[in-house]
């Protein structure tokens, strides 16, 4: 055989090995994706009471008016951020927004808070388009919402009591006795002992306790809407479960409408009434956790396969 013949034969063998390697990689990815989806379906089955409650919540919500509505929203800075985004959150629903980093999830919360205004489309709260409100009118709308920031974002120099009392002093006419009663009530709701933690500084609390104080502050003014930006990030699995149960507790006991931005798919599937998946600036899926787990959409399968 000539040298040229040997070279061609070697190249052919190398190409075949590369094709075989890629094919095996695809098969491994497909098996992993299917394994993850099966695990999610099993966990949803294990959480059957929660799934049944979620179905009841969805049926009840379907009969109620929209609390939050984004209608064909477009937003761009130097480059497009969101394109033709629409979804509705009804009374008592928990909508979870998921997607890869940089897809506009937290930006969506800022639109709901009216910290940003869309270039096109509308954002409505209880049927009122908030995109054209004045600064003062927007402040009034925000007082009907509670916000839990990533990392809790507590005031480091203030005690737990002062952190939770802050929005009450800013936005209500409650006297000091009424403020203390409200603070104690909210701390008890998030399973913290008021007598133990009220005088502590945030630096003296664990990460999970700071998150719970953040939730207590967010709900201090009894909002009808709660917004969460990565509420379980940086937490251990047990504490993550605690925060997830608190969000469910707010929904079930107080009928609060919630929008949660999260990368934690396991928590999302436990708490969500419906899930919105953002990809390439658009919502590519909006439905129940069960529908998402059962979907044959290639992107959703790849997305779930990454967890």
């Amino acid at each position: 055989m000539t040298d040229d013949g040997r070279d061609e034969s070697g190249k052919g063998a190398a190409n075949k090995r590369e094709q075989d390697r890629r094919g095996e990689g695809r098969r491994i990815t497909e098996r992993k994706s299917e394994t993850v989806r099966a695990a999610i379906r099993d966990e949803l089955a294990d959480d059957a009471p929660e799934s049944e409650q979620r179905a009841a919540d969805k049926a009840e919500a379907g009969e109620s008016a929209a609390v939050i509505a984004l209608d064909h929203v477009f937003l761009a800075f130097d480059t497009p951020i969101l394109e033709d985004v629409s979804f509705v959150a009804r009374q008592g629903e928990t909508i979870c927004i998921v997607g890869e980093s940089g897809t506009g999830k937290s930006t969506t919360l800022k639109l709901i808070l009216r910290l940003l205004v869309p270039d096109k489309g509308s954002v409505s709260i209880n049927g009122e388009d908030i995109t054209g409100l004045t600064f003062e009118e927007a402040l009034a709308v925000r007082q009907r919402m509670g916000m839990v920031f990533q990392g809790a974002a507590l005031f480091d120099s203030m005690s737990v009591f002062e952190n939770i009392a802050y929005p009450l002093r800013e936005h209500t006419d409650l006297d000091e006795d009424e403020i203390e009663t409200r603070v104690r009530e909210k701390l008890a709701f998030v399973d913290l002992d008021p007598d133990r933690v009220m005088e502590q500084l945030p630096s003296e609390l664990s990460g999970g306790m700071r998150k719970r104080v953040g939730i207590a502050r967010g709900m201090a003014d009894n909002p009808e809407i709660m917004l969460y930006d990565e509420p379980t990030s940086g937490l251990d699995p047990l504490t993550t479960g605690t925060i997830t149960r608190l969000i469910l507790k707010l929904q079930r006991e107080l009928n609060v409408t919630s929008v949660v931005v999260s990368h934690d798919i396991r928590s999302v599937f436990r708490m969500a009434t419906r899930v919105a998946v953002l990809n390439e600036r658009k919502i590519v899926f909006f439905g129940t956790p069960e529908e998402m787990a059962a979907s044959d959409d290639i992107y959703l399968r790849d997305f779930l396969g990454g967890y």
Side-chain angles (χ1 to χ4, degrees):
M1 180 181 292
T2 66
D3 289 343
D4 288 345
R6 283 193 292 272
D7 287 346
E8 289 299 322
S9 176
K11 289 179 181 178
N15 288 338
K16 186 175 187 307
R17 285 195 298 273
E18 179 63 17
Q19 290 173 357
D20 290 345
R21 186 187 66 79
R22 290 179 179 177
E24 181 60 23
R26 283 194 296 271
R27 287 191 290 274
I28 290 172
T29 299
E30 289 171 359
R31 286 199 298 271
K32 181 182 177 184
S33 177
E34 185 53 43
T35 299
V36 171
R37 292 168 73 219
I40 290 171
R41 287 195 294 267
D42 289 344
E43 187 159 326
L44 288 170
D46 291 340
D47 289 337
E50 291 185 9
S51 298
E52 291 168 6
Q53 180 64 47
R54 184 163 51 234
D57 292 341
K58 183 181 177 184
E60 183 177 346
E63 300 172 359
S64 62
V67 175
I68 302 168
L70 274 68
D71 187 28
H72 300 293
V73 165
F74 289 76
L75 180 68
F77 299 128
D78 292 333
T79 59
I81 305 298
L82 298 172
E83 294 181 350
D84 201 24
V85 167
S86 300
F87 71 83
V88 169
R90 301 186 185 279
Q91 183 69 43
E93 280 195 302
T94 297
I95 304 298
C96 290
I97 304 176
V98 303
E100 300 170 57
S101 298
T103 52
K105 301 184 297 297
S106 296
T107 299
T108 304
L109 294 184
K110 292 176 183 177
L111 287 165
I112 296 170
L113 282 164
R114 215 284 194 167
L115 295 173
L116 293 173
V117 178
D119 299 322
K120 290 170 58 179
S122 65
V123 179
S124 298
I125 303 297
N126 289 325
E128 177 187 11
D129 186 352
I130 65 172
T131 55
L133 298 183
T134 65
F135 178 77
E136 290 76 15
E137 290 169 338
L139 282 178
V141 169
R142 285 185 206 124
Q143 289 175 28
R144 289 144 55 187
M145 306 180 193
M147 178 71 200
V148 179
F149 299 93
Q150 189 172 351
L154 302 176
F155 298 115
D156 292 338
S157 61
M158 292 185 180
S159 68
V160 167
F161 175 83
E162 293 298 334
N163 265 280
I164 300 172
Y166 182 81
L168 299 175
R169 293 200 171 110
E170 287 290 309
H171 304 304
T172 74
D173 296 322
L174 297 178
D175 62 34
E176 286 302 307
D177 287 341
E178 291 170 323
I179 288 174
E180 180 174 348
T181 298
R182 182 76 63 85
V183 170
R184 287 179 173 276
E185 172 190 321
K186 300 311 178 186
L187 284 170
F189 188 90
V190 299
D191 300 324
L192 289 174
D193 181 355
D195 291 325
R196 177 188 168 196
V197 303
M198 280 203 309
E199 298 309 316
Q200 290 184 301
L201 294 172
S203 60
E204 299 175 288
L205 305 177
S206 68
M209 291 172 74
R210 285 195 295 272
K211 292 276 189 176
R212 283 189 274 172
V213 172
I215 293 174
R217 183 178 64 181
M219 59 184 288
D221 204 12
N222 294 329
E224 58 186 285
I225 296 169
M226 286 289 291
L227 307 176
Y228 304 83
D229 193 1
E230 299 287 0
T232 61
S233 64
L235 300 179
D236 64 81
L238 289 176
T239 308
T240 293
T242 298
I243 299 302
T244 301
R245 286 190 293 274
L246 279 176
I247 295 173
L248 282 167
K249 185 178 178 182
L250 271 166
Q251 177 199 27
R252 293 175 181 173
E253 295 187 16
L254 303 181
N255 205 30
V256 170
T257 302
S258 301
V259 179
V260 182
V261 165
S262 181
H263 283 100
D264 187 341
I265 292 298
R266 184 172 183 176
S267 291
V268 164
F269 273 48
R270 292 195 66 186
M271 74 175 86
T273 310
R274 288 183 287 181
V275 183
V277 181
L278 274 170
N279 181 45
E280 296 292 336
R281 302 176 295 279
K282 299 180 178 180
I283 291 180
V284 296
F285 172 84
F286 189 68
T288 67
E290 292 82 1
E291 290 166 346
M292 186 175 175
S295 174
D296 289 325
D297 179 85
I298 293 174
Y299 177 76
L300 292 183
R301 292 178 66 176
D302 289 345
F303 181 77
L304 293 176
Y307 286 89

